[in-house]
Amino acid sequence: SLALPRSLVDAMMRNAALAFGRRAANACASASGATSASSSSSSFASSAASTARAMASHAAASTPPSAASTAATTTPATTTTATTFASRALAYTGSVLGLASAAAFTSAVVAEVDGVGLAASPISATRAALPRDKSPFDSVTLYQYDVCPFCNKVKAQLDFLGIAYDVVEVNPLTKSELGFSKEYRKVPIVIVDGEQINDSAVIMREMETRMKKAGLRGRGARPRPGSAAAKKEDEWFAWVDSRFVHVVTPNIYRTWEEAQRSFDYITERGNFNWFMRQAIALSGAASMYVISHRVLKKRHGIEDERAALYEALDDWMQNAVGPKNAFCGGSEPNLADLAVFGVLRAVKTFDTFSDAMENTNAKPWYERMRVEVGEATRTDGIGN
């Protein structure tokens, strides 16, 4: 059984409830400020916002009433099991929700009915994908979590190859979008002209092979099988999954605040209602914080997250890219370059990324990769 200090659990529960209260207040404030809202809707939203703000203040100042009686303990009054932490945190958040969940949620619905969007997805310029008559695919659809490092590996390759692709954001709680895949329930999944391909490494190899068969070898052509270049690509491409991803992940969830920020994307991406977005954000942050600290770090022999990340990037730059090459692939990126770039691009808005760029010599390589990969070729116009 994995144990956490009671003081940490209490603090995280208060922070989760506080975050929910603030989000409820912000959503309700959006509704109350809508110029097209009816007077009754605006009045109701204002009342709900006030209630949510009051609850947030109360959560910040008080000790969770259920902490002593509901936390599962391994030693009396000191620890609680990590496996039940997420549900405990949500249970406490639920107690804060009790008085105003209906008000907050109904107010959010009112905002949508009255034409007020709850969160607009950021749109960035996208470079042109392959012309339809030159693309070897009629349709490509990626099922993903937006910040998942494995999904971002695939997106980096698709952008690099200029392949237009649709994106379906998967609900990490219900995975209802994966109803068509009865046995494989992970992401990424790519559907290419009706054919399902699972696992990021398999997807990248398959897309490369299909582009080659179509005669489109100008970008990302594989080195000759059996050559030193091919062996090097295989070695470092495997290293991304066996080591690099597992070093980056604990860095994303290093602190409770960083864990919360890592799920902010869910408030902007995906076809989920407001209540579901908040549930995903809070439960996801709590779960991943615990898993990262109590499972992943031990499993992969990591003591200091940042030190391990810097060491991994130094290894990559010295032994994969080398002092005389622009990329691991030499003069142009190979699959290993695309995979490492995709993992890093997934966290480009986090402290993890800025710290890595400041404390290693990976930044020049990353900037070269950013130019080579270009902007997103996804069909929804959203940047990666």
Side-chain angles (χ1 to χ4, degrees), residues 168-198:
V168 176
E169 194 67 36
V170 175
N171 185 326
L173 294 183
T174 66
K175 297 186 179 181
S176 58
E177 294 78 9
L178 301 182
F180 62 89
S181 183
K182 301 304 181 184
E183 296 182 1
Y184 191 83
R185 303 291 291 172
K186 301 178 182 179
V187 292
I189 292 175
V190 167
I191 306 295
V192 181
D193 295 339
E195 181 181 349
Q196 179 176 336
I197 309 173
N198 307 326

Side-chain angles (χ1 to χ4, degrees), residues 30-373:
S30 295
S32 64
T35 56
S36 60
S38 66
S39 57
S40 59
S41 296
S42 180
S43 175
F44 181 80
S46 296
S47 176
S50 298
T51 304
R53 291 190 185 96
M55 289 193 302
S57 298
H58 175 75
S62 64
T63 299
S66 59
S69 60
T70 62
T73 58
T74 52
T75 57
T78 58
T79 58
T80 184
T81 56
T83 53
T84 61
F85 171 75
S87 61
R88 301 301 182 193
L90 283 179
Y92 176 58
T93 303
S95 70
V96 179
L97 270 185
L99 295 176
S101 59
F105 182 64
T106 304
S107 182
V109 172
V110 169
E112 292 183 324
V113 170
D114 288 337
V116 181
L118 292 180
S121 299
I123 303 297
S124 66
T126 56
R127 68 181 177 84
L130 284 172
R132 178 64 64 182
D133 60 346
K134 292 185 178 181
S135 175
F137 316 113
D138 291 329
S139 66
V140 176
T141 302
L142 170 66
Y143 291 80
Q144 66 149 23
Y145 303 146
D146 191 66
V147 298
C148 164
F150 297 102
C151 299
N152 277 275
K153 287 168 50 185
V154 174
K155 287 190 287 188
Q157 184 194 36
L158 295 175
D159 295 341
F160 176 71
L161 295 175
I163 298 173
Y165 57 101
D166 301 323
V167 173
V168 176
E169 194 67 36
V170 175
N171 185 326
L173 294 183
T174 66
K175 297 186 179 181
S176 58
E177 294 78 9
L178 301 182
F180 62 89
S181 183
K182 301 304 181 184
E183 296 182 1
Y184 191 83
R185 303 291 291 172
K186 301 178 182 179
V187 292
I189 292 175
V190 167
I191 306 295
V192 181
D193 295 339
E195 181 181 349
Q196 179 176 336
I197 309 173
N198 307 326
D199 186 270
S200 62
V202 176
I203 292 169
M204 293 178 74
R205 293 286 193 196
E206 182 64 21
M207 296 305 291
E208 181 186 60
T209 298
R210 294 189 182 202
M211 291 290 284
K212 183 178 180 180
K213 287 181 178 179
L216 299 172
R217 306 183 185 184
R219 297 175 65 81
R222 275 212 83 190
R224 180 173 53 83
S227 65
K231 292 179 180 178
K232 179 182 179 182
E233 179 186 60
D234 290 343
E235 175 188 352
W236 287 100
F237 187 55
W239 171 84
V240 177
D241 285 1
S242 65
R243 181 61 180 172
F244 190 57
V245 166
H246 302 298
V247 168
V248 171
T249 301
N251 277 276
I252 302 173
Y253 309 108
R254 185 179 59 153
T255 67
W256 173 239
E257 290 73 20
E258 288 175 297
Q260 285 182 296
R261 288 200 299 272
S262 72
F263 279 86
D264 281 347
Y265 82 93
I266 205 69
T267 65
E268 299 175 341
R269 307 289 172 92
N271 187 28
F272 316 132
N273 64 45
W274 182 86
F275 184 82
M276 180 60 73
R277 292 177 193 271
Q278 311 314 312
I280 293 171
L282 292 177
S283 62
S287 299
M288 289 309 301
Y289 178 87
V290 172
I291 291 171
S292 176
H293 282 262
R294 309 302 294 183
V295 179
L296 297 181
K297 289 178 64 175
K298 290 184 178 181
R299 179 182 296 169
H300 300 286
I302 298 172
E303 293 185 4
D304 184 314
E305 302 97 327
R306 285 295 196 263
L309 175 61
Y310 302 157
E311 181 181 355
L313 282 174
D314 286 341
D315 185 21
W316 166 256
M317 291 304 301
Q318 180 178 346
N319 299 309
V321 178
K324 297 182 179 180
N325 296 324
F327 308 101
C328 178
S331 60
E332 68 173 21
N334 63 13
L335 285 180
D337 285 296
L338 292 170
V340 174
F341 173 78
V343 173
L344 286 174
R345 189 172 67 170
V347 299
K348 67 180 180 180
T349 61
F350 301 162
D351 293 343
T352 298
F353 179 83
S354 56
D355 287 351
M357 295 299 103
E358 291 174 4
N359 292 280
T360 71
N361 62 346
K363 187 173 182 178
W365 167 84
Y366 181 87
E367 288 301 314
R368 290 192 293 270
M369 282 298 303
R370 187 176 60 82
V371 173
E372 288 290 324
V373 171

